[in-house]
């Protein structure tokens, strides 16, 4: 198993399939994009499936989340999902996506074995979407959401980040829309993972701000820690149920003590935390024909060195050099 010195056991693996994205969200990357990873540095489909197989078979991973960048840009995505679904110990599999392209791939992904999706949508207003993402693709995301629901990739979870002066007034509107369409909405505090290093703690919309805004329109009842388990989102029952809304407060309400995640970047690096400064190279071991046992040993050693927390509560916190698009959300 993947255990650290604080007794936490990782059972949830986040796998970044690419650093590329077809949006340019202001809280993630600059308008001109980034210098993308070279093709030779990216893990191949076979390498990804092998590492997931090791994680599931030898290291106790039970859930796999495919991320990016934008994972739908990975040409071999459906095949990767299908092969992972055939593993002897089949993991639960989900996908975090911006939804663009999901209209044409949702059915194939469900047939391949994908269980559900998380789709990012920060606003219901096309003009605000264009400002936030620097792309005119709002309709594509809405169509992707509907396609995911129609294909049975449920529950469909919607991730929203609120930005000051852009969409910070939309929380109640977003929740009303999510309830109407039977999506589970989760607000995520803006995190210091932008390539521009422009994040400022004193300018972010906090979990407290979000809840205060939602309570102007909805009655929210805390679901409680027992129901939450190791999930990153605190959840509230909306108007007595059955719908729920979540808030992932990585900055103001860290949940590091219950963290059960390990991460694999698109170029084959293990990250024990989204905000880690250190990485452990598995790609080199793969390409030097190391046996599965050796790769598992390296991964275990990396996990053993996981720090107690993200460091976000430390005034001297240093933002990771690699942006979110390169390490997976």
């Amino acid at each position: 198993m993947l255990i650290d010195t604080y007794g936490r056991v990782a059972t949830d693996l986040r796998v970044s399939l690419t650093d590329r994205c077809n949006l340019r969200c202001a809280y993630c990357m600059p308008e001109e994009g980034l210098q993308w990873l070279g093709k030779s540095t990216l893990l191949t489909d076979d390498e990804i499936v092998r590492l997931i197989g090791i994680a599931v078979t030898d290291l106790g991973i039970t859930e796999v989340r495919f991320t990016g960048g934008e994972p739908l840009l990975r040409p071999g995505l459906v095949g990767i999902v299908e092969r992972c679904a055939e593993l002897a110990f089949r993991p639960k599999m989900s996908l975090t996506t911006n939804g663009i392209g999901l209209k044409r791939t949702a059915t194939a992904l469900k047939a391949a074995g994908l269980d559900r999706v998380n789709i990012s949508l920060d606003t219901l207003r096309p003009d605000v979407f264009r400002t936030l993402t620097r792309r005119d693709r709002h309709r594509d995301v809405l169509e992707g959401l509907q396609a995911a629901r129609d294909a049975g990739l449920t529950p469909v979870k919607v991730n929203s980040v609120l930005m000051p002066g852009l969409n910070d007034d939309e929380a109640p509107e977003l929740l009303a829309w999510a309830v109407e369409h039977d999506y589970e909405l989760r607000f995520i505090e803006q995190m210091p993972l932008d390539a521009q290093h422009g994040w400022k703690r004193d300018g972010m919309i906090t979990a407290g701000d979000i809840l205060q805004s939602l309570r102007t329109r909805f009655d929210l009842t805390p679901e409680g820690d027992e129901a939450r388990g190791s999930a990153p989102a605190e959840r509230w029952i909306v108007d007595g149920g059955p719908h729920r809304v979540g808030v992932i407060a990585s900055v103001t309400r860290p949940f590091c003590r219950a963290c059960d995640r390990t991460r694999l970047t698109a170029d084959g690096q293990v990250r024990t935390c989204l905000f880690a400064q250190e990485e452990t190279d598995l790609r080199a071991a793969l390409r030097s024909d190391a046996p599965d046992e050796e790769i598992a040993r390296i991964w275990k050693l990396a996990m053993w060195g996981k720090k107690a927390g993200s460091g976000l509560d430390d005034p001297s916190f240093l933002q990771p050099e690699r942006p979110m698009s390169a390490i997976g959300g």
Side-chain angles (χ1 to χ4, degrees), residues 7-256:
R8 297 170 297 192
V9 177
T11 57
D12 185 333
L13 171 61
R14 308 296 170 97
V15 182
S16 175
L17 298 178
T18 178
D19 59 328
R20 296 175 184 265
C21 189
N22 42 14
L23 296 180
R24 297 291 181 269
C25 296
Y27 51 78
C28 184
M29 68 172 73
E31 185 171 4
E32 65 274 13
L34 300 167
Q35 184 172 349
W36 310 121
L37 295 169
K39 186 175 181 180
S40 64
T41 67
L42 293 173
L43 294 177
T44 66
D45 293 1
D46 288 344
E47 288 171 335
I48 290 170
V49 173
R50 183 183 173 196
L51 286 175
I52 292 174
I54 293 170
V56 170
T57 303
D58 301 329
L59 299 174
I61 292 296
T62 59
E63 296 186 36
V64 175
R65 172 85 60 84
F66 297 106
T67 70
E70 173 45 53
L72 292 180
L73 295 180
R74 177 88 186 199
L77 172 60
V78 173
I80 291 171
V81 172
E82 188 171 36
R83 292 169 66 185
C84 290
E86 294 171 351
L87 293 170
F89 301 99
R90 183 197 186 284
K92 294 179 181 178
M93 290 184 291
S94 58
L95 177 80
T96 294
T97 171
N98 61 30
I100 297 173
L102 199 53
K103 180 180 179 180
R104 65 176 181 272
T105 56
T107 300
L109 286 167
K110 179 64 177 179
L114 192 70
D115 295 302
R116 64 170 192 81
V117 293
N118 287 32
I119 299 175
S120 299
L121 180 65
D122 303 319
T123 177
L124 298 176
R125 305 167 190 170
D127 58 325
V128 177
F129 182 91
R130 194 179 307 114
T131 300
L132 274 168
T133 68
R134 296 143 174 157
R135 297 291 186 270
D136 191 13
R137 307 298 297 272
H138 191 255
R139 178 181 292 275
D140 294 320
V141 179
L142 294 179
E143 290 177 347
L145 277 156
Q146 182 174 332
R149 186 180 59 195
D150 292 346
L153 293 170
T154 55
V156 176
K157 296 183 179 180
V158 178
N159 295 337
S160 297
V161 176
L162 299 182
M163 300 285 287
L166 289 173
N167 62 339
D168 52 346
D169 61 337
E170 282 198 67
E173 185 179 358
L174 280 162
L175 181 52
W177 166 82
V179 167
E180 178 186 354
H181 291 86
D182 200 24
Y183 302 139
E184 184 175 323
L185 181 63
R186 307 193 313 172
F187 291 99
I188 303 176
E189 287 183 338
Q190 184 194 1
M191 295 179 285
L193 292 169
D194 58 306
Q196 310 93 299
H197 290 198
W199 176 85
K200 289 182 173 58
R201 187 184 301 269
D202 58 4
M204 60 175 286
I205 307 299
T206 68
D209 297 330
I210 294 165
L211 292 169
Q212 183 178 4
S213 178
L214 291 176
R215 286 188 170 114
T216 64
R217 186 166 172 181
F218 301 95
D219 178 54
L220 302 180
T221 305
E223 192 175 51
D225 291 340
E226 186 175 342
R228 180 183 184 183
S230 60
E234 293 181 78
R235 298 204 308 177
W236 285 261
I237 301 167
V238 180
D239 290 341
H243 296 284
R244 285 159 172 73
V245 62
V247 179
I248 299 177
S250 300
V251 179
T252 62
R253 302 181 185 182
F255 40 86
C256 301

